[in-house]
Amino acid sequence: MANAPNERTGRRIQSVEIAFTILDAVRKNDRPSITELADELGHSKSTIYSHLQTLESEEIIVREDDGYRLSLQVLDMANDVRNQVANYDVIVDAVDELANETGEIAQFGIEEHGQVSYLYKARGNQAVETASRAGGKQPIYSTSLGKSILAFLPPDRQEEIVSETTFERKTPKTITDPARLYTELEEIAERGYAIDDEENIEGLRCVATPVRNGTSVVGAVSVTGPASRITDDYLHGELAESVQRAANVIELNTKFS
Amino acid sequence: MANAPNERTGRRIQSVEIAFTILDAVRKNDRPSITELADELGHSKSTIYSHLQTLESEEIIVREDDGYRLSLQVLDMANDVRNQVANYDVIVDAVDELANETGEIAQFGIEEHGQVSYLYKARGNQAVETASRAGGKQPIYSTSLGKSILAFLPPDRQEEIVSETTFERKTPKTITDPARLYTELEEIAERGYAIDDEENIEGLRCVATPVRNGTSVVGAVSVTGPASRITDDYLHGELAESVQRAANVIELNTKFS
DNA sequence: AAGTATGTTCCTCAGAGCGGAACTCTTCAC
DNA sequence: GTGAAGAGTTCCGCTCTGAGGAACATACTT
C-alpha cells in the first residue's frame, strides 16, 4: 500500500500469490463467503472456490456456517516460529524480568525484511499502553530496536536494508535522511545501545541493545516509557544498563546452534 | 501419515499444495536450504526456488544465512485467529480462573476438521505436565473436550464427523466403536458434561462442558488431572460444577456476533 | 587449481489454472 | 406457493503458467 518492496529476481508463482491474497482477506474480513471474496479480490468465483478448497484441505482455513476463517493450525505454526527464531523461553524470562525491574514496557525484536518484528512484549506495572504486539512490525530507522540491530549488522547487509527503505516521517523527530541515519548508527556501534527519542511515537522514548551470537546480531531488547519518566540521565544511565544486562542474560542463557 | 482425510469434491490447486508442503518442511526442518528441500520433497531445485521466492515475497518466510525459516508474520496471524474463533480475552480469564480454582490443567478447545484443537491452556499450581498446547490437535472421540462438543452438534454434522473418523486406540479404555460412541454422546447430552476416563492418555482423567451460543456449540472447557486426585465423587461433583460454571462465565461474557 | 557443493537463470512443453457460463439449492418476497 | 435473487458448485476450453532439466554462477574444500 505504502511501499513497493523488492521486485528482485526470480519468478513468482501466481496461484500461490492468489492463495495468500485470499488468506489475507480471510484474516481481515470477518468470515467472508466465496462471493464476497470473489468480488473483493477481483477473481472469478470458480477460482476462489478451488483455492478455498485447497486451503481447507491443507487445514489452514476452516469453513463454518457463516463463512471461512483461519484455523488453529496457525497457533501451532506460531509455536514453531517462536522457537525457530530464538530460544523463546529464555527471552520471555529476561524480558519479563526487565519489565518488572523497570515497570515499563520491555520488548524483544528481530530484523525481518528490512523492518523490526516483535517477538515478545512484556508490560511492567506502570507501563503505558502501546499498539505494538508480538508479530507486529515497525520501521527499522525510527525505533531503538531497529537501529540497535542495524548498527551491528555487517556493512553490506546494512546498506542493502537502508537502500531498500523508504523513509516516512512518523513524528517531528523521525530520522528521514539516510546520511543522518548512518552517522547515528556509528554512534550506536560505539556506545553499544540505541535510543529512540520520540522518533516513532510522540511522547515515548526507548533504549535498546543488540543481542548477539558471537559476531552476528540475533535481535535486540528494549525498554519503552513516557518521555516524562525517561529523563536523559535515567535513559543513558540506569536504564541503558538494565537493558544491557537483559541482553547479556539472553546471550548467556541461549544455546545457539 | 496415519489418516487419509477428505478427498471431497472440487479441484485442488497443485502449486498451492506444493507451497504448503514447502512451508511445512520449513516448519519442521531447522532452517533448510533449497537443495535440502528439493531432495526431501522430490521437486526440482528450480521449482522449490520459485516457490521460496514467492513465499519470501509474501513475507511468510525469511531467508537467513543458514537457511529459510518462518517469519514472525505468523505470530501476527495467530493474534487474528485467536479473536476470530472466540472472544479470546474472555476465554483466557475464565480458563485461568478455572485452573487456579482446581489447581489442575484447564483448557478451551474447539472442533476443527473433525478433531479437537486447543485454543488456550492454563496450568494450576499442582497441574501435571502434558504435551498438549495451544494449536495442538487431539482425536474428538478420546477426549472430554471432543465428546462434549460432539454431543451438542447438530445430528447431521455429528454423523458426518464420526463417519470420516478413523478410530485409533490410544489407551485400553479408548472408545473405538462408533456405536459405543453414539450411546455415550447421548448420555453426555443428557448429563451436560463429558468425561475422559484415561481414554486419551493413561493416568489422566478429564471433565468438559460445551460452551454454547444459543443452540450452537462454539467450543468446550475442560479440566485435566491425574486419576489419583480425580476421584469419581470429585469428578462428577465439585469438578463438573466448576467446569460448568466456567463455561457459563464464558457464555455470559462473550458477545457473539 | 581442480572439485564439490550450493544457489540462480534459461528454456521448453504439457497441462494446470483461470474465467465464463450453466446448473443446484436455498432463501426470501409477495 | 410460486418466482426471483443470491448463494455455492460443476463443467469446459484456451491460454499461458509453472514444473523440470540443464547450463551457469558462485562460494568452499582440499
Side-chain angles (χ1 to χ4, degrees), chain B residues 25-37:
Chain B
V26 170
R27 268 179 75 176
K28 281 162 193 161
N29 303 10
D30 185 54
R31 318 223 170 182
S33 67
I34 292 186
T35 346
E36 222 170 309
L37 291 166

Side-chain angles (χ1 to χ4, degrees), chain B residues 12-15 33-35 45-46 49 53 63:
Chain B
R12 301 284 117 72
I13 287 159
Q14 281 200 3
S15 30
S33 67
I34 292 186
T35 346
K45 276 197 296 178
S46 52
Y49 183 71
Q53 292 288 329
R63 178 181 190 162

Side-chain angles (χ1 to χ4, degrees), chain B residues 4-190:
Chain B
N6 42 355
E7 291 301 319
R8 291 277 175 82
T9 166
R11 195 136 248 95
R12 301 284 117 72
I13 287 159
Q14 281 200 3
S15 30
V16 176
E17 291 188 321
I18 294 177
F20 278 93
T21 313
I22 294 176
L23 253 194
D24 228 60
V26 170
R27 268 179 75 176
K28 281 162 193 161
N29 303 10
D30 185 54
R31 318 223 170 182
S33 67
I34 292 186
T35 346
E36 222 170 309
L37 291 166
D39 290 347
E40 178 174 340
L41 305 177
H43 287 282
S44 65
K45 276 197 296 178
S46 52
T47 300
I48 301 287
Y49 183 71
S50 357
H51 273 280
L52 288 173
Q53 292 288 329
T54 310
L55 292 172
E56 195 186 0
S57 79
E58 294 296 325
E59 306 205 345
I60 195 80
I61 64 173
V62 179
R63 178 181 190 162
E64 298 197 332
D65 299 332
D66 41 358
Y68 288 89
R69 63 164 175 80
L70 296 179
S71 97
L72 293 197
Q73 205 201 325
V74 174
L75 297 187
D76 203 32
M77 289 180 62
N79 287 326
D80 290 340
V81 181
R82 284 194 262 265
N83 293 305
Q84 275 189 8
V85 164
N87 196 324
Y88 189 68
D89 296 335
V90 168
I91 286 168
V92 168
D93 287 349
V95 174
D96 281 346
E97 162 69 19
L98 184 58
N100 284 337
E101 189 184 325
T102 60
E104 307 286 359
I105 290 174
Q107 290 174 305
F108 182 90
I110 63 172
E111 178 269 324
E112 272 189 4
H113 301 113
Q115 295 182 294
V116 179
S117 292
Y118 297 104
L119 177 63
Y120 183 69
K121 172 184 184 176
R123 313 188 62 248
N125 54 24
Q126 50 177 354
V128 295
E129 285 291 344
T130 68
S132 72
R133 53 180 200 172
K137 290 187 287 193
Q138 285 296 321
I140 205 157
Y141 53 86
S142 65
T143 54
S144 60
L145 281 173
K147 289 190 289 184
S148 68
I149 293 173
L150 204 48
F152 290 90
L153 245 29
D156 53 341
R157 177 84 186 112
Q158 194 180 94
E159 276 171 46
E160 188 185 2
I161 291 176
V162 175
S163 69
E164 284 174 1
T165 300
T166 45
F167 292 74
E168 264 174 65
R169 175 168 299 287
K170 301 202 66 182
T171 75
K173 293 189 176 176
T174 305
I175 299 178
T176 54
D177 173 31
R180 174 73 210 295
L181 179 60
Y182 279 119
T183 58
E184 184 159 336
L185 290 179
E186 279 176 42
E187 283 175 38
I188 295 168
E190 275 174 37

